[in-house]
Amino acid sequence: MDHKILASGLGPEERNALDRLLESFPEQDAAGVRDWLPGREGSATDPLALLGALAATGSDLRPAEEGDPRGIRRIGVIGGGTAGFLTALALKAQRPWLDVTLMESKSIPIIGVGEATVSYFTLFLHHYLGIDAAELYERVRPTWKLGIKFDWGPGKDAFMGPFDWSADSVGLVGAIRTGGSINGSTLGSAMMQADRAAVYDVDGSPLSLMKYLPFAYHLDNGRLVAYLHELAERRGIHQVEATLDDVVLSDDEWVDHVVTTDGRELSFDLYVDCTGFRSRLLGTALKTPYKSFGSTLFTDSAVTGNIDHGGKIVPYTQATTMNAGWTWRIPTRENDHRGYVYSSSAISDDEAVDEFTKRFPGISEPKQVRFRSGRFEKAWRGNVVAVGNSYGFVEPLESTGLLMIATEVLTLVSTLPASWSDPQPRDAFNVGLGQNWDAIRWLLGIHYRFNTRLDTPFWKECNASADVSGFQPLLDLYAAGAPLSRRNALVQDLANRVAPSFFGLFGIDYLLLGQQVPTRLLDLGEPLEQWQARSRAASSLVSRALPTRAALEAFDAFPELNQQLLTDADSWAGPDIARRMGLL
């Protein structure tokens, strides 16, 4: 039991029991206790502080001791792209004593598609990596994502999966009971429906409420990697342009050195495999067994392209059901990035391109991508750690690609020992990350198992046989009563333990209720008029908000708006939240 959580929101009584007790103490002893537990709002002491952490501790990150022959000092990040550069930047930011080298090949192209992220990644960029927001907006030109719009489930209407789903600020049950849909259950959901963001023009000056409305970034991958490349140079990360030719082992679990195609031998204390789907170190050299997610996720291909959006930027990623999979829509400042994720066993590549181009007339020349969904059994073996696609991959249906890179990087930086002579946390590292990837598998599985938008052969097969066994206990609890996030605390705790998910019970609720998966819906629990009053109030905020493009341009022109977002104590992206999440 976490007593700090129980204590949150409580306040000491005026002249509480401890105050009265101290009146019987010698003054010197009483003063010592008061200094230890200072009160607030008229009370001399705050006894609830006893349930908190009052002592300071030092960092558990330390450099190798001088002269230690097994000290970990030189890190080789093999491969560039987002995984390579984010890994190198994080190691240098959090362990500045390390000598970090990134090796990348210019002959391996960057896949230049839009990247959708989650709100956690916003804090990772700005607090953990220390990336300046104004510079990011200038160089990378991100757009905002308030959530995902799903053209999914029965009927023709879309449902919104907003990032503020945990707030239930308008009311999920009320939205379903009044409109038959989860839409409009939060302010973020209502903003998504209206294609607006919470920035306002007040007497000619911008006023932002975005610090109260969690959002993520849409990022152009080419721009992002170019910016990270420059940032790595500025921060003292060595960059070697070379193509990997061979990985030389000293035994089955240890890399001695790597060899480049021009004959150079590069040796490091730790190798981070960021070679993408080829997984040259973890997969090819170390022959790590692979765990396929193919019984849950049937897709293995994508065609991508860009299409003009006429200047309209929507504040969400969009996922649209197609005959043999789905398409993404990721808005950038210039255009929309589109991609059709499909199963090559259900339709041919030519059929996929034909469906894609007919659905989105004017799309640029489609590019083909092949992939497999799954992960290696271990991410860390010997002196090799894999990050990104070299360890695991799933389709971007919930924008988990950069989230998992950040998670893997954070886990690496926080657990890497100072020396190979120290106790090694490999098992904990591998089990923890494996559980994360498996949770994403089951999360994506429920998108396929319950989507009844189309009855094509592909979707019939998904509805009948997509494996969601890892979430079956959670689905049983859902069937008995939903929203799960509004069930009693013991049921919620049970649900979180039997099937933990990155997005919590709120995310499960929105996906299942949005797809209208049968359940016993909880009662409203209040007069309908109260829900309607909140809905009207939210509508008044939405109707006066700026369209997304205008809101973004306000952040471009007024850097103080980002400063409020990232430094104010009452912001979802402020330092207090970042510290609580281990990002500061």
Side-chain angles (χ1 to χ4, degrees):
M1 180 182 297
D2 190 340
H3 293 89
K4 296 188 292 295
I5 294 176
L6 294 179
S8 64
L10 300 177
E13 301 173 3
E14 188 172 344
R15 196 172 176 274
N16 55 59
L18 182 57
D19 289 339
R20 295 195 296 273
L21 175 64
L22 293 181
E23 291 172 0
S24 66
F25 276 35
E27 183 53 37
Q28 185 174 356
D29 290 347
V33 174
R34 293 186 188 106
D35 289 343
W36 176 32
L37 307 170
R40 57 185 187 270
E41 298 177 4
S43 177
T45 61
D46 180 7
L48 287 171
L50 288 168
L51 300 179
L54 299 178
T57 55
S59 172
D60 57 352
L61 305 183
R62 60 182 180 85
E65 293 184 9
E66 190 174 348
D68 181 356
R70 304 200 72 202
I72 301 173
R73 302 178 180 88
R74 298 171 303 122
I75 312 294
V77 179
I78 312 302
T82 50
F85 281 105
L86 291 174
T87 300
L89 287 165
L91 286 165
K92 201 64 180 173
Q94 300 298 321
R95 297 190 179 214
W97 54 84
L98 291 174
D99 186 358
V100 181
T101 297
L102 185 144
M103 187 185 94
E104 65 171 337
S105 172
K106 294 294 176 63
S107 65
I108 301 174
I110 299 295
I111 300 175
V113 299
E115 290 263 20
T117 64
V118 297
S119 54
Y120 179 86
F121 192 73
T122 307
L123 284 83
F124 173 77
L125 287 179
H126 298 304
H127 290 295
Y128 196 75
L129 298 186
I131 290 177
D132 179 72
E135 186 174 79
L136 183 81
Y137 275 64
E138 178 185 353
R139 295 296 307 282
V140 184
R141 308 285 289 160
T143 64
W144 291 336
K145 173 185 173 184
L146 298 179
I148 302 177
K149 177 180 180 179
F150 287 99
D151 297 313
W152 223 260
K156 295 182 179 180
D157 295 333
F159 70 86
M160 308 296 169
F163 284 133
D164 66 339
W165 50 26
S166 63
D168 207 23
S169 54
V170 177
L172 185 56
V173 173
I176 296 171
R177 291 206 177 273
T178 57
S181 163
I182 66 173
N183 293 339
S185 57
T186 70
L187 179 60
S189 175
M191 288 284 182
M192 290 169 66
Q193 287 180 278
D195 292 340
R196 294 177 180 271
V199 181
Y200 301 83
D201 184 341
V202 178
D203 299 327
S205 297
L207 188 151
S208 172
L209 298 183
M210 294 300 287
K211 68 177 182 176
Y212 306 119
L213 203 60
F215 68 87
Y217 290 135
H218 296 119
L219 301 162
D220 180 285
N221 192 47
R223 275 195 193 131
L224 175 63
V225 172
Y227 171 64
L228 296 178
H229 189 290
E230 177 191 314
L231 197 60
E233 288 182 349
R234 297 203 314 246
R235 295 190 177 182
I237 293 166
H238 310 301
Q239 298 188 48
V240 175
E241 183 181 339
T243 300
L244 180 64
D245 182 57
D246 194 17
V247 180
V248 180
L249 306 181
S250 59
D251 62 41
D252 290 343
E253 292 268 337
W254 208 263
V255 172
D256 184 77
H257 63 274
V258 296
V259 182
T260 66
T261 53
D262 58 7
R264 283 177 285 174
E265 294 185 0
L266 304 176
S267 178
F268 304 99
D269 301 319
L270 173 76
Y271 297 82
V272 184
D273 185 349
C274 296
T275 60
F277 291 128
R278 296 166 301 137
S279 192
R280 293 288 303 277
L281 286 79
L282 182 74
T284 304
L286 295 179
K287 297 181 173 57
T288 307
Y290 185 78
K291 179 178 180 180
S292 173
F293 294 167
S295 64
T296 299
L297 306 173
F298 300 160
T299 60
D300 61 1
S301 306
V303 286
T304 69
N306 301 335
I307 191 168
D308 182 60
H309 56 36
K312 182 178 180 180
I313 299 174
V314 297
Y316 48 76
T317 302
Q318 187 170 5
T320 301
T321 305
M322 300 282 278
N323 288 340
W326 62 282
T327 59
W328 72 70
R329 176 193 190 184
I330 296 175
T332 68
R333 301 288 183 113
E334 295 79 19
N335 49 36
D336 284 340
H337 290 214
R338 289 277 190 178
Y340 181 8
V341 178
Y342 64 95
S343 167
S344 63
S345 64
I347 58 173
S348 69
D349 295 342
D350 288 343
E351 288 172 322
V353 170
D354 184 62
E355 183 185 0
F356 187 49
T357 54
K358 286 180 177 176
R359 182 67 178 265
F360 305 107
I363 197 83
S364 63
E365 184 68 25
K367 298 179 181 179
Q368 187 83 39
V369 179
R370 294 278 190 228
F371 61 85
R372 63 175 180 174
S373 293
R375 65 172 177 87
F376 286 96
E377 288 187 0
K378 296 179 179 180
W380 184 353
R381 291 187 62 195
N383 61 342
V384 172
V385 173
V387 170
N389 296 343
S390 57
Y391 168 46
F393 177 84
V394 294
E395 62 199 79
L397 187 49
E398 281 287 351
S399 308
T400 50
L402 289 178
L403 166 65
M404 283 309 299
I405 289 175
T407 301
E408 290 156 10
V409 167
L410 286 161
T411 309
L412 168 62
V413 173
S414 60
T415 61
L416 182 67
S419 170
W420 292 123
S421 298
D422 292 339
Q424 305 298 309
R426 288 189 190 90
D427 288 347
F429 185 97
N430 289 324
V431 170
L433 287 180
Q435 289 174 342
N436 287 343
W437 272 105
D438 293 347
I440 291 174
R441 170 191 183 171
W442 307 125
L443 178 74
L444 297 192
I446 63 178
H447 293 69
Y448 283 101
R449 185 63 178 263
F450 299 112
N451 183 15
T452 56
R453 177 67 52 114
L454 298 177
D455 63 352
T456 61
F458 170 81
W459 283 107
K460 287 179 179 178
E461 183 182 4
C462 290
N463 297 157
S465 61
D467 180 12
V468 293
S469 56
F471 267 8
Q472 192 56 54
L474 191 66
L475 295 172
D476 294 340
L477 285 171
Y478 168 86
L484 284 168
S485 57
R486 305 299 286 179
R487 299 281 296 274
N488 75 66
L490 294 176
V491 172
Q492 290 185 51
D493 178 65
L494 178 63
N496 281 315
R497 285 189 285 113
V498 298
S501 167
F502 259 116
F503 301 115
L505 298 182
F506 310 104
I508 301 298
D509 282 334
Y510 271 75
L511 287 171
L512 294 177
L513 291 169
Q515 294 179 93
Q516 299 181 28
V517 178
T519 184
R520 184 175 298 158
L521 189 66
L522 300 183
D523 292 335
L524 189 56
E526 63 180 347
L528 179 61
E529 292 76 16
Q530 291 185 16
W531 184 91
Q532 292 170 330
R534 291 195 300 271
S535 180
R536 286 193 299 271
S539 296
S540 70
L541 286 173
V542 172
S543 65
R544 293 167 173 82
L546 293 176
T548 309
R549 174 177 285 279
L552 281 165
E553 290 171 348
F555 268 63
D556 291 337
F558 296 89
E560 61 267 26
L561 298 179
N562 257 319
Q563 284 296 109
Q564 294 171 6
L565 175 77
L566 297 172
T567 62
D568 283 4
D570 61 345
S571 172
W572 69 269
D576 289 348
I577 299 296
R579 198 170 292 111
R580 208 176 304 169
M581 298 172 72
L583 298 174
L584 271 181

